[in-house]
Amino acid sequence: MSQELEYLSRYVIAGRLSRREFLGRATALGVSATFANSLLARAATAQTPRKGGILKAGLQGGAATDALDPAPFASAVPITFGKCWGELLMEMTPEGGIEYRVAEEIGSSKDAKTWTMKIRKGIQFHNGKKVTPHDVVATLERHSKEESKSGALGIMRGIETLRADGRDVVITLKEPNVDLPYLMTDFHLIIQPNGGKDDPTAGIGTGPYKVTVNEPGVRHGGEKFKDYWQGDKLGHADQIEIIVINDATARIAALQGNQVHMIDRVEPKVVDLLKRNPGLTIQNVSGRGYYYFNMFCDTAPFDNNDLRMALKLAVNREEMLDKILRGYGSVGNDFPINASYQLFPEDIEQRVFDPDKAKFHYQKSGHSGPILLRTSDAAFPGAVDAAQLFQQSCAKAGITLEVKREPGDGYWSEVWQKQPFTTSFWSGRATQDQIYSSTFLSTAEWNDNHFFNDKFDKLLIEARGELDQDKRKNLYREMAIIVRNEGGTIAPFFNQFIDATGPGVKGFVKHPARDMGNASALVQCWLEA
């Protein structure tokens, strides 16, 4: 009983439950108002951020090729550091709502084709200049251009015109899109002076920390920006530091040795062991991220759909979930949507391991000889082991799969999107439209399975402007079936995000969008004195 009330008291402090609702629940449990109020007081004290100190994170996903330009951000280190020095127009909350940042409100025309954002007054860039609607327009313009190579290009192509109007930014879309506010939460869209057109790698933003150290592949650091507009809520440490630790065992050692205060990508196989360590806290949450094997649909031998189907049927999903994720996840169905998304198509048949059908499609494809799969520990926790399990299950279908282990450093720049069969991950996105627009739309910059399907593209555009929820759900269902049966993604499971924090770390907010509290842990957390 007291555990339930302590849990609910933290919701009150976080503003997610009213005091009245809390006291009503306490009364229902037979708890006196005096005791209930004492719990609230204790929770408020425990959750009052303490200022000062140096907060350090040990993260994977850093490489010597990383840059401060947000456009190509693809892995944990640049994304997390970007949220330290930069800010978006708005963020998605853990509950799926919108939290305004540089923008203070957004509204649309009745047909969801014209959107107006009001830009917050008084926000400063680190160079002392005030943020203007022009900076916002310029930022969105830059990410809309092919030469930017922005990971947000797939969602930005839907914009027809952008203009500043006083304090407002007016966006006119080519087609209606009811999800536009969620698209603005894309982590690439950090607002920069003049949109970053002068120098996208300057690392000048509006975030709580100014860049002081930028050693790609080694470490990154920032010091508190004294003029940050909401310093009472975020950016509690005097300094933050990210140490690049791509090796999973080394990350754990760094946390246990108090060299860092938090780490990402804890391997499921060591979670139970870490739980026994006093002072360490496992921060795991179910979400929209998935681990997958990725095939180029336009490159032999994967340009043959029978071969792609053979490989999809040759995956033993339940075995992988059990042995790789140790239950910290759920089975996938070869499309990027699970039940955490609104309008999830729950009636699509679950694909299962079927070596006989896999052999049939493999023989029908006419292919012979080994198939090379490239993998790395950098792809996802347990990726190498998952590839080896895949190799074993393929053998039962008469398919010879060769596994090549690639080094972690450079995997995202030299292997992913460069080689035709690899392991990878997606953290998921705020909406179905956003993940499909980023990864499966024919024109998407990050269409990493080279999937080009006119019917799918038309359905995606139609769904954006469909206001009837039942009709929209049916459109998403049809899209999911196309991707499942024709795409180049083999998605055996959706993962939980598993991070870990050390003694004295407070304020960690779990988020279903991605690990490290949606890459925001360094700006949200603080150190106890």
Side-chain angles (χ1 to χ4, degrees), residues 31-227:
V31 174
S32 70
T34 301
F35 180 72
N37 280 316
S38 71
L39 283 177
L40 281 180
R42 188 167 67 192
T45 300
Q47 290 297 311
T48 300
R50 295 183 182 272
K51 303 295 184 178
I54 303 175
L55 189 60
K56 298 182 180 182
L59 306 181
Q60 62 75 43
T65 53
D66 289 340
L68 293 179
D69 179 3
F73 281 180
S75 55
V77 170
I79 293 170
T80 304
F81 192 44
K83 289 204 174 186
C84 292
W85 62 261
E87 283 189 305
L88 307 173
L89 288 161
M90 51 201 76
E91 291 271 10
M92 185 178 76
T93 68
E95 299 77 28
I98 289 292
E99 177 184 331
Y100 294 111
R101 293 295 179 86
V102 175
E104 65 180 13
E105 63 179 63
I106 187 170
S108 76
S109 57
K110 289 184 179 180
D111 63 358
K113 194 172 180 180
T114 301
W115 291 81
T116 303
M117 291 185 290
K118 190 171 292 298
I119 305 307
R120 198 179 299 274
K121 280 185 176 180
I123 297 181
Q124 281 192 29
F125 287 116
H126 300 156
N127 61 7
K129 294 181 179 179
K130 295 287 181 66
V131 177
T132 68
H134 167 78
D135 296 308
V136 174
V137 169
T139 295
L140 299 180
E141 283 178 344
R142 187 171 79 87
H143 288 273
S144 302
K145 296 184 181 300
E146 299 283 346
E147 57 266 28
S148 74
K149 302 295 182 183
S150 175
L153 190 58
I155 63 175
M156 300 304 291
R157 283 196 175 101
I159 295 176
E160 186 168 60
T161 63
L162 288 159
R163 64 183 175 87
D165 181 11
R167 286 180 57 200
D168 296 340
V169 170
V170 181
I171 302 174
T172 302
L173 304 177
K174 296 174 182 176
E175 305 288 343
N177 193 334
V178 297
D179 287 338
L180 185 83
Y182 289 98
L183 303 188
M184 294 297 101
T185 69
D186 189 290
F187 57 77
H188 301 93
L189 302 179
I190 291 175
I191 304 304
Q192 297 177 278
N194 195 29
K197 292 180 178 180
D198 302 320
D199 184 3
T201 65
I204 296 175
T206 64
Y209 294 99
K210 296 176 65 173
V211 175
T212 56
V213 178
N214 182 43
E215 300 175 14
V218 182
R219 67 189 184 106
H220 307 269
E223 65 180 13
K224 192 172 179 64
F225 177 43
K226 64 181 181 61
D227 293 320

Side-chain angles (χ1 to χ4, degrees), residues 400-420:
T400 302
L401 188 67
E402 290 186 354
V403 175
K404 182 177 181 181
R405 184 172 185 167
E406 300 280 1
D409 189 23
Y411 184 77
W412 300 112
S413 59
E414 302 302 325
V415 180
W416 180 63
Q417 292 210 99
K418 299 288 180 64
Q419 299 296 336

Side-chain angles (χ1 to χ4, degrees), residues 50-56 209 222-224 235-241 261 522 525-529:
R50 295 183 182 272
K51 303 295 184 178
I54 303 175
L55 189 60
K56 298 182 180 182
Y209 294 99
E223 65 180 13
K224 192 172 179 64
H236 307 296
D238 291 333
Q239 298 177 52
I240 55 94
E241 183 176 6
H261 299 103
L522 283 172
C525 292
W526 64 89
L527 296 172
E528 278 190 326

Side-chain angles (χ1 to χ4, degrees), residues 301-302 307 311 362-363 365-373 394 398-402 421:
F302 311 105
L307 181 71
L311 290 169
Y362 181 66
Q363 291 174 345
S365 76
H367 181 76
S368 62
I371 297 171
L372 179 62
L373 170 64
C394 278
I399 302 171
T400 302
L401 188 67
E402 290 186 354
F421 196 23

Side-chain angles (χ1 to χ4, degrees), residues 11-28:
Y11 268 58
V12 177
I13 302 305
R16 293 159 62 184
L17 186 73
S18 73
R19 185 185 186 89
R20 187 176 201 175
E21 290 169 325
F22 173 79
L23 292 175
R25 181 59 182 157
T27 301

Side-chain angles (χ1 to χ4, degrees), residues 249 252-253 256 266-282 326 328 500:
T249 302
I252 291 172
Q256 291 176 323
V266 175
E267 294 187 310
K269 65 184 179 183
V270 301
V271 169
D272 289 341
L273 183 64
L274 278 183
K275 284 181 177 179
R276 301 175 198 159
N277 196 316
L280 300 189
T281 302
I282 296 296
R326 308 295 176 100
Y328 287 96

